[in-house]
Amino acid sequence: MYGMVAIYYVMIVNILYFSIIGLSFRNIWTIARRAKYSSYNTLAGSELVPAVSLLVPAYNEELTIIENVNCLMTLNYPTFEVIVINDGSSDKTMDVLIAEYELHKIPNPDMSGTIETNTVRDVYHNPDYPQLFLIDKENGGKADSLNAGINLSHYPLVSSIDADSLLEKDALIRMARMYMENPEETVAIGGDVRIANGCLIENGAVHNISLPRKIWPMFQSIEYLKAFLGGRIGWSHMNGLVIVSGAFGLFRKDSIIDVGGYRGGYPGEDMNIIIKLHRHMLKNKIPYRVAFCPEAVCWTQAPDTYGILANQRKRWGRGNMKNMIENRGMLFNPRYKVMGLITMPYNVLFETLNPYFRITGLLALGGYALLDMTHWKILLVFFMLNFFSGYLLSVGALVLEEIAFKRYKKPSDLFKMLLYSALKFVGYHQLGVLWRVQGHIQYLQKNNSWGAMTRQSWNDESETA
Amino acid sequence: MPQSVIVQQEYRTDVYHNLAERVKEASKDSCGVMFLYCSDQPPQMESRLREILQYEPGLEFEIVPDSQTDTLAIMLPGHTLAAAHYQALLIKHHLQETMNQVDPRITLTVFPGQVDPMPATLKQMAESAKLSVSSDIQIFTKPEALKDPGRILIVDHDDTIREFLRIRLHLQGYETLEALDGKAALELIEKWEPDVVLTEFHLYGIDGLPFIRQIQKLLLAQTPKIVVLTGQRVDQTISQCFKNGIEDYVTKPFSPVELDARIRRCFN
């Protein structure tokens, strides 16, 4: 009876979710303590902290790029460089950067890396801004841009940062602290991504943190909180992270080069690089860890209209599908330990295929009820249980946030989050399922466009906030 | 009897009062004032002095005898301290060459424009000239009387550090203003023109070397001296800062006494 399968499926999903959030709760106290008591200021001036190359791929980012680069150049970190990679933008991204920082072409740039990329036209620099480099290359996608950045980078660690994101001043040093705990084994660290819509942005820093006012970003705020605090802390505890967000992650450069750099051609390159790292390390039996650093916060601009959000989610669905199919060999393969036995099966069964189980399960149960094979009350109880477990997970993530970070100070914001956590199950959740299916359809149709991702200026954002 | 004493005292101060008035009239901008005293009082002193000074082409001067201390006050309108000092050396040299057995004692100062010369200061100078035991020219520079207190702009994101520095620098008589981030600091520097910018290396908005370069690019009468006070301790950064012409670099945690000394050095 298929209905039973659906019920078992839901049960297993929930058990998994709750175990993961349980692990998050186990770790949150340590995280809260180290976020509060580590002396980041002393560390941020130390010669012993490894140098980092920040890679900022930029495609048509003329509105936000200056604010973003200013933010990165004023990070509280001892030694770092900012490499902006202009991926053949069709707008004025190049011009605004060159004008703002008075950049000049370097005659013979030293691109010491060996990863294949599209043609790099020029590298720009200004000695007045010694940490800033600008690569101008032909359009080749985000992965290709990151590879070009790696080729130019001068330091042993690289960090990928989205051009529409702003880092907190201490974000990078917090990550470096985690890296320095275990520099031998750490190959990648992910940061906590939060939604900046609704916050006031000034001088490249986020002030007056508050929740977005529009509903699409609002739902995403809760979604991100749940995914990052509820999910990734737990997954990283058992070294089973499948993704380090492209918006903000730190990597060991030699490891990235070992696995051949980022893969182009498809979205989801951030998940892909992590799977490749896991695969490489486990295959060669090298001890390693992929960590998550929730106290390193990156604020990103969430899509605030239906169309853009839908595009983004379809793209994610497509990337996820591609990554799972590409790495199907890891599924249930004991050689890949936690990755092969838990993370990958979880991702295939409960993330990639989730929409189909949901839709078919719903149809089956609905059908049984109509045919009077199941009592409608049982069905109702089932739905209620489903809803409450989901709601409990959201609330759990909120509690984690309140234990360790307390970024949202206003009590009204907390109530708003509790309310929207419930509203999320009416409509937004179902749309998520729909978008994922549409993404899969696009994948099968081999439609590989990036989709429109229009940006708003940070300034406009702060005015409306 | 008491009445005559009062009259005499009034008369005494009046000499310097008049002198002060004349210094003020003589020049809108800086004016050098010199008091000359010779122990055995050669009678032709004043005329000799006029001769010497008239030899200098285009030199504006005025000589006022001060009968109170038997000194001669010489005013040199439009002179900087260095120029006035040069004239004093010339006078001393000429007198020693042309007259036998003279041992001139000279005190010298320069009043900047818009500052009223205080009669008390002039009186003190006249008396010092008479009482001086050394033949060296004595230069009067009273910083608090002649110059504004030093202006220091404190730039740091940390409230505690700013408060500490503000109180400490105030106690030492400096004028201070504060800025929280690089952009606000740049605006303040342009408006307020501080003598010294005491700044953290890591700031919001704009920081580090670009911030230092921006300060130096501002079109100001005098580029402020930059003292970096920071937790950043990477050698390469420190050397880059010095290469870009900063005055000093102090790392946090810092010794307040050391910082005082380094700031004092910026004003000398």
Side-chain angles (χ1 to χ4, degrees), chain A residues 359-419:
Chain A
I359 294 168
T360 53
L362 199 68
L363 288 177
L365 286 173
Y368 296 145
L370 282 179
L371 296 173
D372 250 357
M373 284 164 74
T374 319
H375 201 278
W376 65 271
K377 276 183 184 163
I378 296 178
L379 209 60
L380 193 69
V381 169
F382 177 70
F383 281 130
M384 289 308 275
L385 268 177
N386 217 344
F387 166 76
F388 276 116
S389 66
Y391 190 60
L392 204 58
L393 286 168
S394 292
V395 174
L398 271 181
V399 174
L400 287 170
E401 158 76 13
E402 285 308 299
I403 291 173
F405 305 110
K406 299 193 192 72
R407 281 290 197 294
Y408 298 100
K409 310 272 188 225
K410 287 183 277 183
S412 61
D413 275 354
L414 285 181
F415 285 115
K416 203 170 157 191
M417 279 197 279
L418 285 173
L419 174 70

